[in-house]
Amino acid sequence: MTSRILDPQQLRLNLDEDQLEAIAWLMDHLPLSFRNVHCLPARELLSWSIDDLSSASGVTSQAIQRLESGFQLKEVSLQALAFALEAEGLVFFPGHPPLRGMNCRGSTKDPRSRRDYHLLE
């Protein structure tokens, strides 16, 4: 078997503006993989307290406690938690415990650009 180096120019896609807009919209509307069952195990992987996660994410300690007790939070709050935890190298898949990403990064976008960011719990 021979090793072949790929030419990056061969991988370049020529997309028009509409296609780029459609891709951007899809990326903005990907469903979150982060679930309430991920929160406590993720904090334990990082040796973080609830206050540590609150400080990193902007979500209140009380909201994090509610989430870990099984209550749902607003999507913007879940996104802020996922973003903070993914920034520390964790990745989330539904039905699986949090994992260390090694050389990959989660896909959660920074929630501060959301119009409803002021509704963070």
Side-chain angles (χ1 to χ4, degrees):
M1 180 194 253
T2 62
S3 165
R4 193 174 123 211
I5 297 175
L6 293 176
D7 179 7
Q9 292 300 337
Q10 292 176 346
L11 299 176
R12 173 170 260 142
L13 299 174
N14 292 320
L15 302 173
D16 65 31
E17 228 174 281
D18 289 338
Q19 291 168 319
L20 289 172
E21 189 176 315
I23 291 170
W25 184 91
L26 287 170
M27 292 301 293
D28 285 343
H29 292 86
L30 281 173
L32 285 176
S33 296
F34 181 78
R35 303 283 185 262
N36 63 344
V37 297
H38 289 129
C39 195
L40 178 60
R43 284 194 309 103
E44 289 173 344
L45 268 174
L46 297 173
S47 299
W48 277 11
S49 68
I50 286 177
D51 290 335
D52 293 333
L53 180 54
S54 176
S55 177
S57 67
V59 176
T60 67
S61 298
Q62 295 82 3
I64 295 169
Q65 288 171 338
R66 286 195 320 270
L67 180 70
E68 290 182 356
S69 297
F71 292 92
Q72 271 297 22
L73 299 182
K74 294 176 184 169
E75 185 180 329
V76 66
S77 298
L78 291 173
Q79 185 176 349
L81 291 167
F83 185 78
L85 293 166
E86 288 176 357
E88 297 299 316
L90 299 184
V91 292
F92 303 98
F93 299 99
H96 297 281
L99 303 167
R100 292 202 181 271
M102 299 304 185
N103 62 349
C104 67
R105 169 83 163 76
S107 62
T108 303
K109 294 187 66 103
D110 187 342
R112 292 175 287 189
S113 63
R114 291 177 57 126
R115 288 187 199 128
D116 61 351
Y117 185 70
H118 67 284
L119 298 174
L120 200 65
E121 296 172 87

